[in-house]
Amino acid sequence: MPEVEVPLEKWTGKVNEVRLGGNGRQAVVVGGEATFPFLQFEGAIPNRPAVAIEVLDVQPTGWPSQLAAAWGNVLADPALWAKKAAEYGADIIALRLKSAHPEEGDTGAEEAKKTVDKVLAAMDLPLIVLGPEVAEKDNIVLVAASEAARGQRIALGNCEEKNYRTIGAACIADGHVAIAKTPIEINLAKQLNILLCDLGVSPESILMDPTTGALGYGLEYTYSVMERLRLACLTGDGMTSMPMICTVGEESWRQKESKSDIEVPATWGELEQRALIWEEMTASTLLNAGADIVVLRHPKTVEAIKATIDKLMG
Amino acid sequence: MALTGIEIYKFLPKTNCKKCGFPTCLAFAMKVSQKGVDITVCPDLSPEAKEALEAAGRPPIRLVTIGGDKRKIEVGNEVVMFRHEKTFYHPTGLMVRIKDSAPAEAIAKVAGEVAGYSVERVGMELALDGLALENESKDAATFVACVEAVKSKADLPLVLMSSDPAAMGAALEKAADGKPLIYAATKDNWDKMAELALKHGCPLAVHEAAGLGELAQLVEQINGAGIEDIVIDPGAHGFAQSLATLTQLRRLALKKSFRPLGYPIITFPGESSDTVEAEAVLAAQHVAKYAGIVVLDHFSPSMAYPLLTLRLNIYTDPQKPIQLTPKIYEIGAPKPDSPVCVTTNFSLTYFSIAGELESSGYPSWLLVADTEGLSVLTAWAAGKFDAEKIAKTVKDFNIAESISHRSLIIPGRVAVLRGELEEELPDWKIMVGPPEAMDIGGYLKKMWSA
Ligand code: B12
Ligand code: SF4
């Protein structure tokens, strides 16, 4: 029968492999792809993308009821929540130290350390710790988290232009991975990676967060910047070769489409399914753009996206 | 792809005989490239040159139209692998399958629902594009009855699905004026299906799952029968296989100008999905990764709306955000004592806040600043939505003339601008609205008394 010769790209670069956990905890390695997402006919994809579940250190307020109900009373305790998340199939726990935000309790280093200790003890998955996204407070609580988890190879985020030095230094000192977050811009992403490497963080200890726009709320920008970053990586640019992490759950559950049942057009359809599809579609689309870790919120999304990843990996 | 004058010149006789009315072959070639004159005006063009020119000028993925004069869609003619390289031009057609063995009421219901479905987003009406009618009963009369029932309910482009040329022929007698897509020609029936496509002037889908080589061979046979309006179905199922196959097809068309597979692709994500959500997610992948038509097995608004939103996202031109003209927009019928809000001219931003103001029960004046199509925070971070710009917007559009108060509500996400704005607009009271548009109703109820 006739053969068609499919054009293969000869990529010269590949995504760095980054290990989280290990040393007594479960280990997860992400990255390593030598081609575009899931194109196994062209290049090696040694590791599957990982699913992280987001855990907050304060009881979330303003979460849509179906999301809150899916977790029930564990929401009041990050350790129980993390344990439950592990049961629900998380590969990684992403702990957000939201209580450190000046408007959410303004907690400090002590509390951060306690929470991290508790969460680490409650389950044996690798951990990501995210600050409240207020640069000064991020510095304080992430350094505390770093010390608390010394040797456990957690990921600390976010390093931004303003505070990458402090967090980067903590990662070097305690053997962790730095998450470099930039606002949907390829040059800024590359620049921050360079700054971190100049500081002494090894390229194998950096994850990139390109900034997530949810479906209907900037998804297309994130999608394209991720494709461009991956293209740059595969064509040999080592400073864009870090695995990518996307905060899908946080962005998609914030949107009106995931929250509102009243005063929305009937053509939006039933809320429960719409909201789940919103998170799933944001996640799956970004996985197809090159996400190596997606941070999710709803257990059903976790289940669906894990099944999707299984199928994509073949 | 359009050829340059020089490329066209290479194919001309180069005798400068002037029979075309141009002084030289080169001058003629230049004019052809600008589409100012047709290539056939040169009487001495060799048939081989003509064919080569035609082939070279053809888009790598053919543009195929489905549907009649009233409602039709165009799919194909994409020119890039990644949307950032240029843009994706022809949004994937989203259709819903109806099986003719379903009860008549169910058929009528789905047809009516799909045809009537339309949802507004950023000022645009998003709708589904058609219905795919499948001859599951294997009975021609049942198929025809289904076609007629659907046509009476829905004026949408159709895909007619049957492997039986007799049933297809009978259905086409009723539906050919709507130029449906005939699905599908296969190894076993292609000559008869090709005949039907020619007779009725309808596009033809070609289905062959054995491999791309086999598919290409079948397409060439059908080309040989004089058919060019083709949609291909490589029979790729599931997430991994369809991603690989559709990527390979796009590459073959764009990178190797491989003509036999340079056609839009049709997919059926429901066939390999065990839940409606999984079908939606796979359909989304097909929208982003290279399908021309996606036929869904389920329809519900809660699945259609995210999918249509995704299609809008993926097919938006990355070079220019959807934006609107900066000016004063009147929401409802505002009066001199109605609230005044300011926002940016990014469509998504405008429609978020405009929609909420509309349902808040407070007619309002909405000042839209020129931020070159950027959202509130993006524009603020880029220095295009600062106190100076807002003050200038207030003054330039002279909103003061229409109102009896001097209160201005700014988006909560740029609360930091308040102080500076108070300096820029000393006569005004600056009010900081909520960060999220959906809370504006509650905010006005509590805070607004002019
Ligand atoms: C998509 C996006 C982009 C796109 C642009 C999209 C566009 N057309 O605007 C691109 C990739 C181009 C981009 C670029 C940049 N971006 Co940007 N971007 C985003 C992203 C992901 C989403 C923005 C969005 O579309 N939101 C949706 C719209 C509808 O939101 P909105 O306009 O705020 O409107 C809401 C409310 O404000 C409210 N509202 C609107 N109007 C009004 C009016 C009133 C009266 C009220 C009460 C409420 C209200 O209603 C809406 C719904 O609730 C955000 C991060 C995020 N996840 O949100 C970053 C973000 C906004 N970007 C950011 C930055 C820094 C930039 C850049 C400056 C980066 C750079 N240095 O190059 C550039 C600037 C652009 C330039 N130089 O030209 C930062 C801003 C940081 C900050 N807090 O200041 C953000 C927050 C990302 C981050 N965390 O760092 N960005
Ligand atoms: S008619 Fe043809 S050959 Fe003669 S000048 Fe024109 S292009 Fe050249």
Side-chain angles (χ1 to χ4, degrees):
Chain A
M1 263 292 136
E3 277 294 316
V4 171
E5 200 191 320
V6 175
L8 295 183
E9 304 282 354
K10 290 190 186 57
W11 303 121
T12 51
K14 68 178 176 100
V15 181
N16 301 334
E17 287 196 285
V18 173
R19 178 178 57 82
L20 294 176
N23 219 353
R25 312 192 72 72
Q26 291 189 34
V28 168
V29 179
V30 293
E33 307 92 306
T35 179
F36 268 93
F38 312 109
L39 299 185
Q40 316 241 23
F41 64 89
E42 181 167 83
I45 303 185
N47 305 297
R48 36 180 291 139
V51 170
I53 294 183
E54 188 180 341
V55 168
L56 308 187
D57 70 343
V58 282
Q59 175 111 21
T61 49
W63 272 25
S65 54
Q66 72 162 313
L67 180 58
W71 290 103
N73 49 20
V74 301
L75 292 181
D77 180 337
L80 291 180
W81 187 350
K83 196 157 169 272
K84 190 94 192 156
E87 284 164 26
Y88 280 148
D91 301 312
I92 300 171
I93 300 299
L95 171 66
R96 164 91 58 197
L97 298 174
K98 197 157 188 247
S99 71
H101 194 286
E103 279 155 31
E104 301 275 346
D106 209 15
T107 58
E110 242 348 90
E111 287 89 339
K113 184 183 168 324
K114 259 195 242 150
T115 308
V116 170
D117 279 340
K118 250 176 39 175
V119 171
L120 280 172
M123 49 86 209
D124 71 343
L125 297 177
L127 185 68
I128 293 171
V129 179
L130 302 168
E133 301 216 284
V134 178
E136 317 83 69
K137 292 303 303 272
D138 281 353
N139 282 347
I140 297 170
V141 294
L142 291 175
V143 167
S146 176
E147 284 166 7
R150 181 172 295 146
Q152 315 259 325
R153 204 163 165 78
I154 65 171
L156 290 170
N158 293 310
C159 298
E160 301 190 49
E161 220 177 308
K162 285 170 264 181
N163 60 355
Y164 75 93
R165 285 170 195 282
T166 313
I167 300 167
C171 288
I172 297 171
D174 299 320
H176 300 313
V177 170
I179 302 176
K181 180 170 177 175
T182 46
I184 324 194
E185 219 278 318
I186 182 167
N187 294 312
L188 292 176
K190 184 172 168 174
Q191 181 61 23
L192 187 52
N193 290 336
I194 293 174
L195 290 172
L196 278 166
C197 288
D198 286 351
L199 191 72
V201 182
S202 91
E204 287 71 37
S205 298
I206 302 176
L207 297 169
M208 294 192 274
D209 178 345
T211 298
T212 300
L215 175 59
Y217 293 88
L219 177 75
E220 70 274 35
Y221 293 95
T222 303
Y223 182 82
S224 283
V225 91
M226 288 173 71
E227 289 198 327
R228 290 179 63 196
L229 280 163
R230 186 52 48 87
L231 196 59
C233 157
L234 293 174
T235 47
D237 182 346
M239 283 302 129
T240 55
S241 301
M242 291 65 186
M244 294 187 273
I245 174 170
C246 294
T247 52
V248 168
E250 191 174 18
E251 289 302 322
S252 67
W253 286 101
R254 192 155 78 77
Q255 310 307 339
K256 186 173 179 183
E257 278 81 352
S258 307
K259 283 186 169 169
S260 295
D261 211 2
I262 41 164
E263 285 180 24
V264 305
T267 45
W268 281 19
E270 185 249 330
L271 171 65
E272 193 171 322
Q273 186 176 56
R274 182 209 317 147
L276 284 174
I277 292 181
W278 217 266
E279 187 180 28
E280 289 170 18
M281 217 177 258
T282 303
S284 65
T285 304
L286 295 180
L287 284 165
N288 268 320
D292 294 281
I293 301 175
V294 284
V295 186
L296 304 176
R297 278 192 174 167
H298 200 291
K300 284 202 180 135
T301 310
V302 171
E303 192 187 333
I305 289 301
K306 287 194 74 165
T308 303
I309 292 172
D310 282 343
K311 291 180 195 151
L312 278 164
M313 291 299 289
Chain B
M1 287 288 78
L3 296 177
T4 65
I6 301 294
E7 283 164 334
I8 293 168
Y9 174 71
K10 288 188 193 136
F11 292 103
L12 296 177
K14 306 191 188 68
T15 55
N16 299 334
C17 76
K18 303 193 176 56
K19 278 186 265 183
C20 58
F22 289 83
T24 60
C25 294
L26 184 61
F28 175 69
M30 291 301 171
K31 202 68 184 177
V32 174
S33 77
Q34 297 154 13
K35 309 226 184 310
V37 57
D38 198 78
I39 188 75
T40 52
V41 169
C42 168
D44 297 337
L45 201 64
S46 72
E48 299 80 57
K50 209 162 145 191
E51 198 188 315
L53 268 171
E54 238 179 57
R58 214 175 273 150
I61 298 172
R62 188 176 173 85
L63 186 69
V64 175
T65 304
I66 296 161
D69 292 334
K70 272 190 250 149
R71 244 176 115 170
K72 59 183 175 190
I73 56 165
E74 290 183 325
V75 293
N77 198 8
E78 299 300 337
V79 297
V80 290
M81 296 298 299
F82 301 106
R83 58 189 289 285
H84 69 252
E85 294 174 296
K86 197 161 176 80
T87 185
F88 288 180
Y89 288 102
H90 297 96
T92 311
L94 294 170
M95 305 207 177
V96 177
R97 168 152 48 187
I98 293 179
K99 296 180 175 170
D100 68 351
S101 46
E105 319 81 73
I107 291 176
K109 181 166 175 277
V110 177
E113 277 175 5
V114 171
Y117 185 74
S118 144
V119 58
E120 195 195 312
R121 194 174 174 86
V122 289
M124 286 181 253
E125 285 299 330
L126 311 180
L128 295 164
D129 304 291
L131 291 161
L133 314 183
E134 182 176 352
N135 180 210
E136 192 187 48
S137 68
K138 307 274 185 232
D139 177 58
T142 309
F143 194 35
V144 171
C146 173
V147 169
E148 291 196 301
V150 166
K151 279 192 64 173
S152 73
K153 281 277 172 195
D155 186 19
L156 285 177
L158 299 179
V159 180
L160 300 181
M161 304 178 66
S162 178
S163 54
D164 172 11
M168 187 63 79
L172 281 167
E173 292 303 328
K174 304 290 178 198
D177 55 325
K179 302 292 171 213
L181 174 65
I182 301 175
Y183 181 101
T186 63
K187 270 202 298 295
D188 303 322
N189 68 11
W190 70 268
D191 45 347
K192 297 230 172 54
M193 289 294 189
E195 246 170 56
L196 288 171
L198 279 179
K199 175 172 165 202
H200 296 287
C202 294
L204 179 62
V206 180
H207 173 58
E208 172 56 75
L212 295 185
E214 285 79 354
L215 178 58
Q217 198 177 40
L218 187 53
V219 169
E220 283 185 305
Q221 278 170 323
I222 290 168
N223 285 153
I227 296 179
E228 274 301 338
D229 284 326
I230 289 174
V231 170
I232 52 179
D233 177 8
H237 281 288
F239 281 89
Q241 196 202 355
S242 66
L243 180 65
T245 305
L246 270 61
T247 302
Q248 291 172 347
L249 285 169
R250 182 78 149 238
R251 282 201 194 159
L252 280 162
L254 297 190
K255 304 210 173 221
K256 294 188 89 178
S257 306
F258 188 65
R259 294 247 3 267
L261 296 176
Y263 296 96
I265 304 163
I266 187 168
T267 67
F268 301 87
E271 288 178 4
S272 49
S273 306
D274 31 28
T275 65
V276 173
E277 287 102 70
E279 181 180 9
V281 167
L282 182 53
Q285 174 178 300
H286 291 167
V287 167
K289 296 286 181 188
Y290 314 138
I293 299 171
V294 171
V295 177
L296 303 166
D297 281 327
H298 294 92
F299 165 76
S300 70
S302 51
M303 154 200 213
Y305 177 44
L307 202 48
L308 288 165
T309 302
L310 179 89
R311 181 177 71 177
L312 180 67
N313 282 175
I314 295 292
Y315 281 84
T316 295
D317 184 345
Q319 265 58 262
K320 37 178 187 310
I322 313 176
Q323 48 184 293
L324 65 168
T325 316
K327 61 170 191 175
I328 303 173
Y329 287 80
E330 298 184 10
I331 312 294
K335 301 202 183 63
D337 62 354
S338 298
V340 178
C341 295
V342 63
T343 191
T344 77
N345 77 324
F346 182 35
S347 272
L348 179 60
T349 300
Y350 167 82
F351 284 103
S352 303
I353 184 70
E356 296 300 335
L357 283 172
E358 213 169 284
S359 57
S360 72
Y362 289 84
S364 309
W365 307 93
L366 185 52
L367 281 176
V368 173
D370 184 359
T371 61
E372 296 163 33
L374 294 179
S375 76
V376 169
L377 270 186
T378 314
W380 175 77
K384 286 171 183 155
F385 192 59
D386 52 14
E388 209 180 310
K389 171 62 79 48
I390 295 175
K392 190 169 176 317
T393 307
V394 168
K395 290 176 194 154
D396 285 359
F397 295 148
N398 205 3
I399 179 70
E401 205 170 58
S402 312
I403 54 172
S404 55
H405 61 87
R406 291 291 176 271
S407 292
L408 176 69
I409 304 175
I410 63 171
R413 290 188 188 164
V414 288
V416 291
L417 292 179
R418 181 200 219 142
E420 263 180 86
L421 254 178
E422 281 166 349
E423 281 170 32
E424 294 274 348
L425 296 170
D427 309 340
W428 288 73
K429 176 176 153 205
I430 307 301
M431 297 172 68
V432 176
E436 297 294 342
M438 74 173 112
D439 300 321
I440 189 79
Y443 173 85
L444 288 174
K445 209 168 186 182
K446 210 165 99 202
M447 304 294 291
W448 188 258
S449 49

